Amino acid sequence: MANNGAVRLDLDGKPIKPITICMIGAGGFIGSHLCEKLLNETPHKVLALDVYNDKIKHLLEPDTSEWAERIQFHRINIKHDSRLEGLVKMADLTINLAAICTPADYNTRPLDTIYSNFIDALPVVKYCSENNKRLIHFSTCEVYGKTIGSFLPKDHPLRQDPDFYVLREDTSPCIFGSIEKQRWSYACAKQLIERLVYAEGAENGLEFTIVRPFNWIGPRMDFIPGIDGPSEGVPRVLACFSNNLLRREPLKLVDGGESQRTFIYIKDAIEAVLLMIENPERANGHIFNVGNPNNEVTVRQLAEMMTKVYSKVSGETAIESPTVDVSSKEFYGEGYDDSDKRIPDMNIINRQLGWNPKTSLWDLLESTLTYQHRTYAEAVKKATSKPVAS
């Protein structure tokens, strides 16, 4: 455990000093796992900021928690709260996880998406820069947009050349669709805040690290519509497919499920974040891809795999037609567009932090779907069972 008295060393063999971390968005999927990791394995303190705390309630129980002294929850909406600067000042490091990051919202709520990911993040960057506080800013792999290869003819041999599709932090361009394709509102806002963070570093000496997550997957991700989220809500692909499996409905494949993605287990990804937190000299000034290039599948293959894994963990046989094709317009509305492939280059994070992901796609799906089944199966059954007429 964290306080066993052993001196913890960084990657260069220096003792790690306990710090205070201001974590914005601590109540979300990534924040909840990062809080657990920090409290279980380090002596650091966490100022946990969020509007909701359902996913970290188990860490905030005053009687049962041996780490009650090391985590404080502050119910804050960073849009308009005068307490934010004071909390940034109290900490040594600020981690900003707050974002609207659900593709279904990029088309239907483009203004909220742009404000949340750019305008609302501005004060955080400003307070860190003005008060000489280190910042770890969470961006997205979506800033890369489309691959260079996607503009070549479908059968062009260069499409198979890694130079045309592997995404590198320091050399790959950011290629978005036209303005009418509002799906890029998120990526564009995220790219602009990255440029601002980078500029604060260059002009004002802000110590920063930017994280570009590539589909982090695991327990507590997103929500199940009608159970712990809005009935009409459309979460990201893993929770969407989980919802279909729990309800014994076909998994909806947008535009045939041809897009290729890589998926990484949340616990692997959090290891990488902890290395960034505790090795500032190696992480400052860097942008890091955090993903698992070994876990690449098309969305259709993901659906087939999840169907098999869910049958195993639930003991239920799959339905007769496990998938159904839908158009992106039907599923996401007008203005949807997509990136073809997202394969992260891992050289920079490997060189700076010696980090590599470990968990296979099958194992991370088994762990996640076991959690989904245990957490939601009964609630979904109750919600879908019709009352018997008397």
Side-chain angles (χ1 to χ4, degrees), residues 143-186:
V143 297
Y144 291 110
K146 300 170 182 246
T147 65
I148 302 170
S150 70
F151 293 90
L152 297 169
K154 276 225 165 11
D155 54 355
H156 199 290
L158 283 176
R159 274 187 169 237
Q160 306 311 312
D161 182 338
D163 283 344
F164 285 77
Y165 66 81
V166 171
L167 302 170
R168 299 182 173 92
E169 300 96 325
D170 51 350
T171 58
S172 294
C174 305
I175 308 173
F176 302 152
S178 65
I179 298 298
E180 290 80 38
K181 302 290 188 189
Q182 295 207 92
R183 187 246 203 276
W184 300 109
S185 57
Y186 172 68

Side-chain angles (χ1 to χ4, degrees), residues 96-112:
N96 191 3
L97 292 153
I100 286 179
C101 54
T102 310
D105 290 327
Y106 308 159
N107 275 4
T108 54
R109 299 169 56 205
L111 285 175
D112 282 348

Side-chain angles (χ1 to χ4, degrees), residues 346-383:
M346 305 304 289
N347 283 317
I348 293 180
I349 196 164
N350 195 262
R351 183 187 73 220
Q352 292 301 116
L353 303 174
W355 176 84
N356 274 307
K358 303 181 191 79
T359 312
S360 72
L361 185 56
W362 180 276
D363 287 349
L364 76 84
L365 288 176
E366 195 167 334
S367 159
T368 305
L369 290 174
T370 300
Y371 169 86
Q372 302 280 51
H373 181 69
R374 207 176 54 228
T375 309
Y376 295 112
E378 284 309 310
V380 168
K381 275 199 184 88
K382 276 183 195 151

Side-chain angles (χ1 to χ4, degrees), residues 114-123 189 193:
I114 293 164
Y115 272 78
S116 159
N117 291 296
F118 180 66
I119 306 290
D120 297 350
L122 286 173
I193 198 73

Side-chain angles (χ1 to χ4, degrees), residues 291-323:
N292 189 337
N294 304 318
N295 288 347
E296 187 202 355
V297 282
T298 65
V299 174
R300 180 179 290 279
Q301 288 167 329
L302 177 73
E304 289 162 358
M305 219 167 161
M306 284 181 69
T307 302
K308 282 182 196 154
V309 173
Y310 191 70
S311 286
K312 181 186 171 188
V313 302
S314 67
E316 297 171 5
T317 52
I319 60 173
E320 201 173 318
S321 305
T323 62

